[in-house]
Amino acid sequence: MSFVAPLKNLDRELARFHGRLKAGGALVGLLAIALLARTYHLQIGQHDLYSQRAESNRISLIPTAPNRGVILDRKDRVLAENYSAYTLELTPTQSHDLDATLAEISKLIEITPGQLRRFRRLVAESHEFETVPLKSRLTDEEVAILATNRYRLPEMEVKARLFRNYQAGPGMAHVVGFIGRINDRDLARLRESGREESYHGTAHIGKTGLEQSYENVLHGRPGFEQVEIDAAGRAVRILSRIPPVSGKDLRLYLDLDLQAVAEQAFGDYLGGLVALDPNTGGVLALVSKPGFDPNLFVDGIDPDAWKFLNESPERPMVNRVLRGIYPPGSTIKPFMAMAGLELKLRKPSDSIADPGYFTLPNSSHQYRDWKRGGHGSVDLRRSIAQSCDVYYYRLAVDMGIDRMHDYLAKFGLGEKSGIDLDGESSGLLPSPDWKQRRWKQTWYPGETVIAGIGQGYHLTTPLQLATATAMLANGGRRVEPRLVEAVRDPLTRVWQPQQPVVHGQVAFSPANLAVVRQGMIDVMRPGGTASAAAAGAPYAIAGKTGTAQVVGIKQGARYDASRLARQYRDHALFIAYAPAEDPKIAIAVMVENGEHGGSTAAPIARAVFDYYLAGKRPAEKTVEAVDAAE
């Protein structure tokens, strides 16, 4: 049987082919429509977005750091300025073997061990892809050598940077402060304050002193450059530039020469001094000795240098004027005298008999006067002039600790003065409420007795003492101490004076104030505790000496400095203003372990007065051994 293949149905095959052709054509049409729609979306709908992305591949936006404002003294002498220099920087994440890279660089230029230690510390603190400085202030020869070897070490880069220079040196370190590299804590603060964008291109920020407290004023605003780059990321040309805006300049009340005189007058002693204009609150001098070199911190301080500064027993990093807290000792007596008069607990003519000690009722404990045998008959003026302890023991008991606390608080004791520097201590003005909160203990009558002569829990800073002294000088106005006298705009170049800030007026009785002032003038006259320091002065000084105990003395024992190491000897204090009849300057001096205010601290103040009021510079050694009480 034979098989016969069926004939194809040509019409059906042709219809099937046409159907497939139509389906294919429709699919191609849909794909073409989709392609056209997508092309429209990319080319027209998102033209701006992709143009920007394409442009960003060709153009780089580079921030440029602003010039930091300069800091000047009252005579326009530079205390802090900027200069440009080349620095060698590495990006550690781009190096496969950082130690090998450092070894290669050391063959090209000199890298000291200190620079290596600092570099490794900065690497540990840096962020990914962040460049880290290895050596700053490169010479022209070093720049040339590094440039010719750039192809071998792509992670190495030479950059032009702005650096800060502190011309005044260690003596001004606690005033001007210093800048340092921005760390994580700084970044967190900038983010919280919404100022992070203002620091694009900036590697440094104020860390201490005026550099820190006036950071917002000194910093300025960054600029930007639009730079065309090639496929390898190299700059081809600058397309446009928005210049940075420099920070504002600061002019201080402070006189650099007066500062130097004060520092020299301390000799080998440590301590703090602050001089104020009692009318404006302007800080004329502020010395904390010892100081330190602020230039050490600009590039990142060497770990060994930091260890030395941080662990030194002399504590050079502590601003003794703002943060040093000491018992005020007998410098509290003029303020206690004002309290006694104003609260009507004493009259100027009231006298006491001073046998050399004081006892509380029903107690055998003797609170001794500094003078063995006492001062005899003592009125208010003489109590200040000869610093009679017994007079103020009795006054303190009659006044009571609560009234004492409330009245002394009017002078700003026990609270921050508000000076335009960060880190000020508030000190301590004790009260029964404070002791109960702090120690969960009651207040004892004997604590009131010693509070009357500035001992016990009472702690104050030299700045607080100077501010309180200025109130006696200006008649009761509590003026906030200020370092910055004016701010200059970088565009207009016009100085804008800063107005004094007055925190109130204590309504002293003119008669009572005159008696206390006269007692302070008597301090500087024959018979007073600082008469030797005022000898021959062509102007009248009103002052008060003080001694602050470092170690306690047992009942019946006497202070003998010769049996104590220097660090255990009493601190010497002195407050004063001059000229007494028309005060132009108020001062507080604290000499650590200086023993007596009259022989150690008062001569330092005299040197400052002589220069400020008479233009007289001191001899090489100002502090002399002079027999004095306090």
Side-chain angles (χ1 to χ4, degrees):
M1 181 177 178
S2 61
F3 177 78
V4 179
L7 297 174
K8 291 184 178 180
N9 188 332
L10 294 178
D11 292 337
R12 188 173 60 187
E13 291 292 331
L14 186 61
R16 184 181 298 172
F17 173 77
H18 286 159
R20 290 175 179 173
L21 186 63
K22 290 178 181 178
L27 179 61
V28 170
L30 289 174
L31 291 174
I33 292 172
L35 181 61
L36 288 173
R38 182 62 177 168
T39 302
Y40 178 87
H41 174 72
L42 294 176
Q43 295 292 328
I44 299 176
Q46 292 193 322
H47 175 269
D48 292 340
L49 172 64
Y50 288 102
S51 293
Q52 183 179 358
R53 288 186 179 181
E55 193 72 7
S56 66
N57 290 331
R58 183 180 70 90
I59 296 175
S60 178
L61 194 63
I62 301 175
T64 53
N67 266 315
R68 196 171 180 85
V70 300
I71 302 176
L72 310 169
D73 84 336
R74 68 186 301 149
K75 297 177 182 176
D76 288 337
R77 289 170 294 193
V78 176
L79 305 178
E81 63 178 350
N82 311 300
Y83 69 94
S84 180
Y86 288 105
T87 180
L88 170 60
E89 301 186 12
L90 301 179
T91 306
T93 55
Q94 293 183 0
S95 177
H96 299 295
D97 188 342
L98 187 58
D99 289 334
T101 300
L102 294 173
E104 285 296 316
I105 293 174
S106 297
K107 295 176 182 178
L108 301 175
I109 63 173
E110 180 185 6
I111 304 294
T112 66
Q115 289 168 342
L116 285 173
R117 287 194 298 268
R118 183 187 62 200
F119 173 77
R120 294 188 186 282
R121 180 175 62 82
L122 293 176
V123 167
E125 298 173 356
S126 65
H127 300 281
E128 190 176 6
F129 304 118
E130 185 178 52
T131 61
V132 179
L134 174 59
K135 184 174 183 178
S136 300
R137 302 174 182 86
L138 299 173
T139 65
D140 292 341
E141 182 181 357
E142 289 173 328
V143 171
I145 292 172
L146 294 171
T148 56
N149 287 273
R150 176 73 170 82
Y151 72 96
R152 295 173 48 228
L153 301 168
E155 63 270 42
M156 178 181 71
E157 191 172 357
V158 175
K159 293 184 177 181
R161 296 284 194 188
L162 285 174
F163 290 90
R164 199 71 160 165
N165 181 44
Y166 300 104
Q167 294 188 12
M172 288 292 297
H174 289 289
V175 174
V176 177
F178 58 82
I179 63 171
R181 287 180 64 83
I182 296 174
N183 57 32
D184 290 337
R185 290 191 301 273
D186 299 322
L187 280 174
R189 286 194 293 267
L190 291 173
R191 291 191 186 105
E192 289 174 4
S193 61
R195 296 190 296 121
E196 185 180 8
E197 290 186 359
S198 298
Y199 283 79
H200 287 167
T202 302
H204 294 81
I205 195 170
K207 297 288 187 177
T208 65
L210 291 170
E211 293 278 30
Q212 180 187 33
S213 57
Y214 281 85
E215 172 64 27
N216 293 347
V217 176
L218 291 166
H219 175 63
R221 295 197 306 271
F224 294 92
E225 289 182 347
Q226 277 192 330
V227 180
E228 184 177 0
I229 57 177
D230 59 18
R234 292 187 293 266
V236 176
R237 60 188 174 118
I238 297 176
L239 300 176
S240 65
R241 184 174 185 269
I242 300 175
V245 177
S246 298
K248 296 180 180 180
D249 301 331
L250 305 180
R251 184 170 66 202
L252 311 186
Y253 286 100
L254 188 143
D255 185 332
L256 189 58
D257 289 332
L258 186 67
Q259 183 86 358
V261 166
E263 187 178 5
Q264 177 190 335
F266 269 88
D268 295 332
Y269 281 102
L270 308 181
L273 173 150
V274 58
L276 305 176
D277 182 330
N279 299 305
T280 65
V283 178
L284 306 175
L286 192 157
V287 172
S288 178
K289 195 174 178 183
F292 59 92
D293 184 1
N295 292 297
L296 293 173
F297 292 85
V298 176
D299 300 334
I301 190 169
D302 176 83
D304 288 346
W306 169 247
K307 182 178 180 181
F308 172 79
L309 291 175
N310 200 39
E311 297 180 2
S312 170
E314 294 184 345
R315 301 178 300 154
M317 299 297 294
V318 176
N319 187 335
R320 286 162 163 80
V321 172
L322 270 68
R323 297 186 60 81
I325 49 176
Y326 312 87
S330 292
T331 59
I332 202 71
K333 290 174 182 175
F335 311 107
M336 285 290 293
M338 279 301 305
L341 293 171
E342 294 286 290
L343 296 174
K344 301 186 185 305
L345 299 172
R346 294 290 187 273
K347 296 178 182 177
S349 58
D350 290 343
S351 297
I352 66 158
D354 172 20
Y357 62 89
F358 171 79
T359 58
L360 287 166
N362 303 317
S363 174
S364 61
H365 182 86
Q366 293 185 348
Y367 298 90
R368 295 165 303 181
D369 197 291
W370 69 265
K371 184 177 182 181
R372 190 187 297 270
H375 297 266
S377 179
V378 180
D379 62 8
L380 188 139
R381 272 182 57 178
R382 192 159 182 253
S383 75
I384 298 173
Q386 296 192 2
S387 198
C388 175
D389 292 335
V390 171
Y391 187 96
Y392 292 95
Y393 291 149
R394 293 188 177 187
L395 177 58
V397 172
D398 292 345
M399 189 181 303
I401 189 61
D402 288 319
R403 285 195 290 182
M404 185 191 307
H405 171 276
D406 293 345
Y407 198 86
L408 294 180
K410 295 181 179 181
F411 289 95
L413 301 176
E415 61 183 273
K416 297 179 180 180
S417 69
I419 190 172
D420 47 348
L421 285 178
D422 293 335
E424 182 183 5
S425 172
S426 60
L428 176 60
L429 187 59
S431 69
D433 289 341
W434 164 82
K435 189 181 179 186
Q436 184 62 40
R437 291 194 308 271
R438 179 66 179 83
W439 301 109
K440 307 299 182 188
Q441 295 176 359
T442 58
W443 187 267
Y444 298 108
E447 294 171 328
T448 300
V449 176
I450 60 175
I453 62 166
Q455 298 289 350
Y457 296 114
H458 196 166
L459 296 171
T460 189
T461 66
L463 181 59
Q464 287 176 347
L465 287 176
T467 305
T469 304
M471 292 180 66
L472 294 178
N474 65 29
R477 281 191 312 126
R478 187 174 163 188
V479 186
E480 186 174 277
R482 307 294 289 176
L483 280 158
V484 175
E485 182 269 330
V487 176
R488 179 168 61 186
D489 187 276
L491 301 178
T492 64
R493 307 300 293 172
V494 174
W495 286 105
Q496 181 65 40
Q498 304 297 288
Q499 297 302 316
V501 179
V502 180
H503 288 291
Q505 172 81 39
V506 179
F508 294 140
S509 161
N512 290 338
L513 182 59
V515 172
V516 173
R517 283 176 166 176
Q518 191 59 54
M520 295 178 69
I521 293 172
D522 292 344
V523 168
M524 314 306 296
R525 290 177 173 172
T529 55
S531 59
Y539 49 85
I541 304 172
K544 183 67 192 78
T545 56
T547 301
Q549 288 184 353
V550 176
V551 294
I553 303 174
K554 294 181 180 180
Q555 178 76 182
R558 284 285 170 178
Y559 174 80
D560 185 357
S562 64
R563 301 179 63 181
L564 296 172
R566 181 166 175 173
Q567 65 266 30
Y568 301 121
R569 296 177 185 176
D570 292 345
H571 298 319
L573 299 103
F574 183 69
I575 59 172
Y577 60 85
E581 65 281 0
D582 184 20
K584 298 291 192 300
I585 178 173
I587 197 168
V589 183
M590 185 284 304
V591 182
E592 289 189 356
N593 314 117
E595 300 188 63
H596 302 297
S599 60
T600 310
I604 296 174
R606 170 66 188 276
V608 173
F609 286 149
D610 277 351
Y611 181 79
Y612 189 75
L613 298 174
K616 178 183 176 183
R617 288 187 176 273
E620 281 298 315
K621 190 174 182 180
T622 300
V623 177
E624 300 176 353
V626 180
D627 290 336
E630 295 189 315

